């Protein structure tokens, strides 16, 4: 029986690399990308890492340091990143029979049955993505997803690999397991690794050869499965359906403090629309919604205000307009004058699968053709960019509640105004 072969293809410093695509003069310049409201560092090029810029560093604290070191800082440009990601995924799919997108900058590829040297295949994929998308990637190849993820770590860490590592050879696999820290294993992370290290499980090799009964007893079946995959046992396959979310949240800090209800209402409508979109993406309906409103936690106690409101919807729904109406009513109940608000959020709970829901004969029926309407809105927003079709409450860009993004690059691929100009 032919063993399955997986490749994990991961973009290098994805957010930063997206910024470089249209700014080739920054090819060797250290770059960082900041979180919402230009809060902290969430992405760094290797040049920025070499300068000692820490992940998660607060921008206001290191602003002067970045300027002195010649580091370019960018606000998060999610529209650009999503569009580049879609192009990269299409390019990868053109090289292999099947892919499974894992995140915005990673995908699994099924290489089973492909003829030729696997390292050469990985290098061909890497070169294709670079030539067509100007995106540098690392490629890890192995017989299990967990090992492929570890191979990708090695491909990025050691330049001599050429950005491609094949672990289908058991000898090469064991060599990497013996030198790879346990916190580099997919799903382990730093917090869990501390507990494992206290048990003298310091490397991927130690985890792979640990007592599986003890691992299952102390940490559960998920880590046992990880250890088995490190041994070469295939437990995770392509397109295994992830568990549906039991709750969906949409919330952001405002770009500036807000004292009146109208801009908060606009922001809330935008967040409800995004939550409803996520709801439809996983094929669910929400029966309940929790609205939260708060000031900053760093102001004096008499200026603080935090409250929430629970809304029971007329029936389980993913109708953006129905949920927006309910959210507006809840906001009117909890809003108080005299406070400078910094955040509003919506949490959708009591979710049910749309294909398993049986309507109550005595409940208020959904609006006619609402499903078709929501599907059309989603299709238009997918084609023309998120927010192309909005609920009437949501105003165009440039509102006070929108994120502060003072170093935002143009949306080169999704906005006519962002198209590069040749002078």
């Amino acid at each position: 029986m032919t063993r399955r072969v997986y490749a994990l293809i991961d973009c290098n410093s994805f957010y930063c690399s997206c910024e470089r695509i249209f700014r080739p003069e920054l090819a060797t310049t250290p770059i960082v990308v900041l979180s919402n409201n230009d809060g902290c560092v969430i992405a760094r090029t290797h040049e920025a890492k070499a300068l000692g810029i820490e992940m998660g560093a607060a921008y206001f604290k290191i602003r002067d340091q970045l300027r002195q070191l010649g580091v370019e800082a960018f606000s998060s440009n999610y529209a650009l990143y999503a569009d580049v990601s879609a192009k990269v995924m299409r390019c990868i799919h053109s090289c292999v029979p099947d892919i499974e997108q894992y995140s915005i900058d990673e995908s699994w590829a099924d290489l089973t049955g492909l003829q030729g040297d696997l390292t050469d295949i990985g290098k061909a994929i890497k070169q294709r993505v670079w030539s067509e998308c100007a995106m540098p990637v690392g490629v890890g190849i192995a017989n299990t997803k967990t090992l492929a993820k570890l191979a990708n770590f090695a491909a990025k860490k050691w330049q001599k690999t050429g950005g491609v590592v094949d672990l289908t050879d058991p000898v090469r696999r064991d060599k990497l397991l013996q030198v790879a820290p346990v916190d580099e294993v997919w799903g382990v992370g730093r917090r869990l690794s501390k507990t494992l290290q206290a048990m003298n499980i310091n490397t991927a090799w130690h985890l792979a050869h640990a007592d599986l009964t003890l691992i299952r007893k102390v940490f559960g079946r998920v880590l046992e499965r990880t250890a088995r995959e490190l041994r070469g046992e295939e437990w995770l396959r392509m397109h295994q359906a992830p568990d549906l979310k039991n709750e969906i949240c949409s919330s952001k800090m405002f770009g500036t403090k807000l004292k009146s209800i109208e801009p908060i209402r606009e922001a809330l409508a935008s967040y409800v629309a995004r939550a409803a979109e996520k709801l439809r993406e996983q094929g669910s309906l929400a029966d309940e919604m929790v609205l939260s409103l708060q000031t900053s936690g760093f102001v004096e106690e008499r200026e603080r205000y935090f409250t929430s409101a629970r809304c029971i919807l007329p029936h389980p729904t993913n109708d953006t307009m129905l949920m927006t109406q309910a959210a507006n009513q809840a906001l009117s109940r909890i809003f108080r004058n005299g406070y400078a608000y910094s955040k509003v959020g919506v949490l959708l709970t009591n979710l049910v699968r749309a294909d398993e829901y049986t309507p109550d004969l005595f409940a208020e029926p959904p609006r006619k053709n609402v499903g078709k309407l929501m599907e059309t809105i989603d299709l238009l927003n997918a084609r023309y960019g998120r927010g192309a079709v909005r609920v009437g409450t949501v105003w165009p860009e440039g509102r006070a509640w929108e994120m502060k993004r003072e170093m935002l690059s143009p949306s080169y691929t999704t906005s006519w105004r962002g198209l590069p100009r040749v002078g």
Side-chain angles (χ1 to χ4, degrees):
M1 181 178 176
T2 303
R3 292 201 67 187
R4 186 72 61 181
V5 179
Y6 297 98
L8 191 278
I9 303 155
D10 185 11
C11 301
N12 299 343
S13 302
F14 178 67
Y15 286 0
C16 300
S17 296
C18 287
E19 299 292 350
R20 279 176 167 168
I21 291 175
F22 295 92
R23 297 283 304 277
E25 74 276 14
L26 300 179
T28 59
T29 300
I31 293 174
V32 298
V33 173
L34 307 175
S35 63
N36 294 346
N37 290 308
D38 295 340
C40 61
V41 174
I42 57 171
R44 308 163 293 168
T45 59
H46 71 271
E47 294 91 351
K49 295 176 185 177
L51 292 173
I53 307 301
E54 296 290 336
M55 183 69 85
Y59 177 63
F60 77 93
K61 291 183 178 180
I62 63 170
R63 182 189 292 112
D64 293 338
Q65 179 189 4
L66 296 181
R67 190 178 300 112
Q68 292 169 4
L69 293 172
V71 178
E72 287 280 347
F74 289 91
S75 303
S76 296
N77 190 338
Y78 300 120
L80 174 65
Y81 306 156
D83 200 57
V84 172
S85 172
K87 184 176 181 180
V88 169
M89 297 306 159
R90 288 194 298 269
C91 180
I92 294 171
H93 206 173
S94 70
C95 302
V96 297
D98 188 24
I99 73 167
E100 175 190 351
Q101 186 168 352
Y102 175 58
S103 66
I104 192 171
D105 63 341
E106 295 177 273
S107 71
W108 305 104
D110 189 352
L111 306 186
T112 308
L114 294 186
Q115 300 299 311
D117 182 79
L118 290 173
T119 300
D120 290 341
I121 292 173
K123 289 181 178 178
I125 294 172
K126 179 180 171 67
Q127 179 57 39
R128 180 80 171 270
V129 175
W130 174 252
S131 62
E132 294 190 8
C133 307
M135 178 59 63
V137 300
V139 182
I141 303 170
N143 296 118
T144 72
K145 281 186 170 182
T146 303
L147 282 170
K149 187 82 168 174
L150 196 65
N152 190 277
F153 153 75
K156 289 188 173 185
K157 183 174 178 62
W158 292 293
Q159 292 186 355
K160 290 183 179 180
T161 64
V164 179
V165 170
D166 172 18
L167 294 186
T168 55
D169 177 5
V171 175
R172 184 179 296 176
R173 177 195 69 196
D174 290 348
K175 284 183 178 178
L176 178 58
L177 288 177
Q178 290 169 11
V179 298
V182 72
D183 61 1
E184 292 295 344
V185 174
W186 184 30
V188 173
R190 297 186 184 279
R191 183 177 299 179
L192 179 56
S193 68
K194 292 180 180 178
T195 306
L196 290 171
Q197 289 164 1
M199 300 168 62
N200 291 322
I201 299 176
N202 299 303
T203 65
W205 174 268
H206 292 148
L207 180 57
H209 293 82
D211 183 339
L212 294 179
T213 302
L214 178 62
I215 293 294
R216 181 172 63 248
K217 181 179 180 181
V218 176
F219 301 101
R221 292 190 176 276
V222 174
L223 192 61
E224 178 199 0
R225 181 185 64 190
T226 298
R228 289 184 180 277
E229 286 237 327
L230 290 174
R231 294 181 177 189
E233 301 177 24
E234 184 187 7
W235 284 74
L236 299 171
R237 294 176 173 81
M238 295 285 285
H239 304 293
Q240 285 190 328
D243 294 334
L244 298 180
K245 295 179 181 177
N246 296 319
E247 296 180 333
I248 291 177
C249 179
S250 182
S251 177
K252 293 185 181 72
M253 301 291 290
F254 302 140
T256 59
K257 302 288 194 304
L258 302 177
K259 292 186 176 182
S260 61
I261 194 171
E262 284 309 316
I264 297 176
R265 200 185 300 278
E266 296 168 14
L268 179 60
S270 176
Y271 303 160
V272 169
R274 180 58 185 137
E277 189 178 275
K278 293 179 182 178
L279 195 64
R280 294 190 290 271
E281 285 174 359
Q282 72 169 33
S284 296
L285 308 171
D287 189 39
E288 185 178 327
M289 182 166 52
V290 178
L291 177 72
S292 61
L293 180 66
Q294 68 181 75
T295 61
S296 170
F298 298 100
V299 296
E300 294 184 14
E301 189 167 348
R302 60 186 175 80
E303 297 176 343
R304 295 180 196 171
Y305 179 72
F306 174 84
T307 189
S308 61
R310 179 170 171 246
C311 310
I312 304 298
L313 298 166
H315 51 76
T317 183
N318 57 24
D319 182 350
T320 298
M321 286 174 279
L322 177 61
M323 289 190 283
T324 301
Q325 292 170 0
N328 280 334
Q329 293 171 4
L331 179 62
S332 298
R333 294 199 306 269
I334 63 177
F335 178 83
R336 297 290 182 272
N337 285 314
Y339 292 98
Y341 295 99
S342 62
K343 186 176 183 180
V344 71
V346 60
L347 177 70
L348 304 182
T349 63
N350 284 357
L351 307 188
V352 297
R353 289 182 60 93
D355 55 3
E356 295 177 355
Y357 168 63
T358 302
D360 187 339
L361 291 174
F362 302 101
E364 178 185 337
R367 291 185 301 120
K368 191 175 181 181
N369 294 327
V370 67
K372 283 289 185 183
L373 175 60
M374 294 299 110
E375 181 181 347
T376 302
I377 289 174
D378 290 342
L379 286 172
L380 289 171
N381 285 332
R383 178 175 297 180
Y384 299 108
R386 182 170 297 153
V389 180
R390 321 174 191 222
V391 176
T393 314
V394 183
W395 290 68
E397 297 177 1
R399 308 301 294 178
W401 52 268
E402 289 189 316
M403 286 187 296
K404 181 175 67 175
R405 294 193 284 183
E406 296 178 350
M407 295 153 288
L408 182 66
S409 57
S411 294
Y412 300 103
T413 62
T414 57
S415 171
W416 289 106
R417 290 174 295 176
L419 287 175
R421 298 182 181 183
V422 178

